[in-house]
Each structure stands twice: as structure tokens, then as C-alpha cells.
């Protein structure tokens, strides 16, 4: 038997760049990586000020005949972004609440499900207007789709407006010891358990596993970090990433800046396809 016969079968995954639309530099970086064949999915923030019909057309034009680039909706419900729907509340200074306040309000059941549903529906409608079709998948900026109250409105609207889309859950397949050492990712695991159960009740598909969460503030060596995300992932799993080029708009809107450039540099390098090959992983 040859070494090739002993090789592990290739697992196809989705490598999804979040936040398309947040800033011109992020949009440019994501399109460049798609054109190079280094990404096969991106999640679009239609509520961001740098998303418009021209940006949508530039992204859609990159869809090659020989493979599918999944384009999804990145539902946005946290500051500094503003709602697309009328009468959304609660707001702070005309914008959504910050992430921490949104999470607290969700756990305390202080959000309005009807207003959440109206906003999510408005964002799906904006996506359809921009791309001429429903999204391939739907997820949430800062993982808001997993939050109590939000998840029911989210799943209900997706079932009605984009029933063929899959929805992102963020549960990992990492060992328990590693999960306990990463509090943020552990919270995503817990929230995803309930999210998956509700998604099944709505008849919506989810990705089997998720990876890519890490502490951006620590600014780790992304090239050293990324290969571990691929360990144990079943086929059709999602690996989240945030490549980008820092510009004034990104700096104004988001604290995740220079780390995006580190991710962009890595995915554009030859180290990235080598890591995929070493782990017997390919893009779906």
C-alpha cells in the first residue's frame, strides 16, 4: 500500500471572512483573497456604512464558474452600527447598544422580539436588493444570533425569508481541557448548544463545527495559531477569519485593526495552503 493510500481523506471546509462591508480596506482584502482562491465564503454587513450596491457588484463578480463562493448575511445588532428598520429599540445615541449591553439585555429578556425580527428582516431584504438573491447562509456580527431572545427572532425570520440558507452555530470540537481555558469560546459553545436545538426545530441547517475564535487583543502570531483551528474539524465546518487592510473607516468603527492585516498577510502567503495540505483540509 502506498503512502497516498494511507493518507487521511481530504476534508472540505468553509473559510469565511467576516465583516465584508465594514470598511473599504476590509472589502478590498476579502475580494483579493477570494480572487486568489484563498477564501470560499464571506459574510456581509449590509448595515455598515461602507456597504453599497457597487461593493456588492464587485463581490458578486468574483463568483467563478468552477467553484462556489458562499456569500452570507452578517446580521448586525450592536454598536456603533445603526438599524435599517424604523422604531428599533433599545438604542443609544441613535445606534444599537454596545455588545456587552446587548448581551445583558438578551439574558434579562429586555429585548423586543418583534423589533428584532423587523430589523433582521430589513437586513435580509437589503441583502436581496443588493445581490438579487437570498444569502447562502446567515450568521451574526459578534455572534449575536446565538443570544437569548435574538436567536428565536433570527431563526424565525431566516426560516421565512431565506429557508434554504444554513445558519452558523459556533460550537467547537476541541478537547474539554482546552475549552475551559478559553472563556469567550466556552460561552459560544454553551450558547451554540441551545442554538442548534432551536435551529433543528425550525428545520434549518447548521454547520457541524466551528473554529477561528481567539483573543484578538493579545495580538498573537496568527500564522502559528491558525493550523490548530483545523484539528478534528469534520467536513463542511466553518472557520471564521477577519482579514483586512487598516484604513480610517475601520479605525473609526472597530477595535480589531492591525490583527486583520496579520490575517490577510497569512492567507495571502504560501504558508496557508501548506497548512491546509498538512492537515488534509481543502476549501469546500
Amino acid at each position: 500500500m502506498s503512502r497516498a493510500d494511507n493518507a487521511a481523506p481530504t476534508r472540505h471546509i468553509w473559510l469565511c471572512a467576516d465583516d465584508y462591508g465594514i470598511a473599504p480596506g476590509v472589502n478590498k482584502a476579502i475580494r483579493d483573497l477570494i480572487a486568489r482562491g484563498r477564501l470560499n465564503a464571506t459574510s456581509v454587513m449590509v448595515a455598515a456604512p461602507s456597504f453599497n450596491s457597487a461593493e456588492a457588484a464587485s463581490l458578486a463578480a468574483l463568483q467563478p464558474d468552477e467553484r462556489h463562493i458562499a456569500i452570507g448575511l452578517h446580521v448586525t445588532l450592536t454598536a456603533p452600527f445603526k438599524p435599517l428598520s424604523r422604531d428599533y429599540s433599545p438604542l443609544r445615541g441613535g445606534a444599537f447598544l454596545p455588545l456587552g449591553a446587548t448581551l445583558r439585555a438578551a439574558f434579562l429578556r429586555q429585548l423586543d422580539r418583534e423589533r428584532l425580527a423587523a430589523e433582521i428582516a430589513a437586513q435580509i431584504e437589503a441583502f436581496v436588493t443588493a445581490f438579487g438573491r437570498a444569502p447562502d447562509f446567515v450568521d451574526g456580527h459578534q455572534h449575536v444570533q446565538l443570544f437569548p431572545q435574538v436567536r428565536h427572532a433570527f431563526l424565525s425570520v431566516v426560516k421565512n425569508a431565506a429557508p434554504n440558507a444554513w445558519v452558523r452555530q459556533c460550537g467547537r470540537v476541541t478537547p474539554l481541557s482546552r475549552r475551559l481555558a478559553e472563556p469567550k469560546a466556552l460561552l459560544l459553545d454553551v450558547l451554540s448548544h441551545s442554538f442548534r436545538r432551536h435551529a433543528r426545530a425550525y428545520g434549518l441547517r447548521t454547520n457541524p463545527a466551528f473554529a477561528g475564535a481567539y483573543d484578538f487583543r493579545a495580538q498573537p502570531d496568527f500564522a502559528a495559531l491558525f493550523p490548530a483551528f483545523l484539528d478534528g474539524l469534520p467536513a463542511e465546518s466553518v472557520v471564521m477569519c477577519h482579514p483586512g487592510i487598516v484604513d480610517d473607516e475601520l479605525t473609526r468603527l472597530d477595535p480589531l485593526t492591525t490583527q486583520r492585516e496579520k490575517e490577510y498577510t497569512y492567507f495571502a502567503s504560501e504558508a496557508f495552503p501548506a497548512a491546509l495540505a498538512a492537515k488534509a483540509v481543502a476549501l469546500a
Side-chain angles (χ1 to χ4, degrees):
M1 184 178 291
S2 69
R3 289 183 63 188
D5 292 328
N6 286 321
T10 299
R11 294 165 288 142
H12 290 84
I13 64 165
W14 295 105
L15 180 60
C16 181
D18 285 359
D19 300 349
Y20 187 88
I22 196 172
V26 171
N27 299 351
K28 180 179 179 181
I30 291 173
R31 290 197 304 269
D32 177 59
L33 292 173
I34 289 174
R36 293 172 185 240
R38 302 300 176 89
L39 295 172
N40 61 348
T42 188
S43 193
V44 179
M45 298 177 72
V46 298
S50 290
F51 179 75
N52 52 46
S53 59
E55 291 286 0
S58 295
L59 179 59
L62 295 174
Q63 190 77 260
D65 293 334
E66 66 275 12
R67 63 191 180 93
H68 178 61
I69 305 301
I71 302 176
L73 172 64
H74 206 43
V75 168
T76 303
L77 298 173
T78 54
F81 304 100
K82 299 179 179 180
L84 300 185
S85 60
R86 298 181 61 183
D87 302 323
Y88 182 89
S89 67
L91 297 174
R92 185 177 298 177
F96 295 115
L97 298 180
L99 174 61
T102 301
L103 183 59
R104 284 193 299 274
F107 272 102
L108 294 173
R109 303 296 194 272
Q110 294 174 342
L111 299 176
D112 185 302
R113 181 170 170 176
E114 290 187 2
R115 286 174 173 160
L116 285 168
E119 177 59 27
I120 296 166
Q123 293 188 26
I124 291 180
E125 182 179 358
F127 183 102
V128 172
T129 298
F131 290 97
R133 63 174 181 85
D136 293 307
F137 63 94
V138 189
D139 57 32
H141 183 54
Q142 300 181 316
H143 313 296
V144 292
Q145 80 277 17
L146 305 177
F147 295 1
Q149 289 196 291
V150 176
R151 62 182 169 233
H152 290 289
F154 175 93
L155 293 168
S156 176
V157 172
V158 173
K159 179 65 175 179
N160 181 62
N164 294 321
W166 53 270
V167 292
R168 182 194 288 179
Q169 64 90 23
C170 302
R172 299 171 297 163
V173 292
T174 53
L176 179 61
S177 59
R178 182 175 162 190
R179 295 187 189 195
L180 294 175
E182 300 172 349
K184 175 183 175 181
L186 181 60
L187 175 61
L188 296 181
D189 287 336
V190 172
L191 293 174
S192 291
H193 178 76
S194 180
F195 181 85
R196 291 192 300 271
R197 178 168 53 84
H198 290 295
R200 286 194 297 270
Y202 278 95
L204 293 170
R205 295 174 294 133
T206 62
N207 50 300
F210 173 82
Y214 67 97
D215 186 355
F216 305 120
R217 296 168 298 179
Q219 298 191 358
D221 179 354
F222 188 75
L225 187 67
F226 180 81
F229 292 152
L230 306 177
D231 291 341
L233 284 182
E236 301 298 318
S237 294
V238 171
V239 178
M240 170 187 70
C241 60
H242 295 84
I245 299 167
V246 177
D247 56 23
D248 290 343
E249 182 73 347
L250 180 63
T251 302
R252 181 178 75 86
L253 291 173
D254 197 78
L256 177 53
T257 54
T258 55
Q259 193 66 19
R260 293 184 190 261
E261 293 195 337
K262 292 180 181 180
E263 293 194 22
Y264 175 48
T265 298
Y266 174 71
F267 290 127
S269 75
E270 291 310 305
F272 167 60
L276 294 182
K279 298 287 186 176
V281 169
L283 302 189

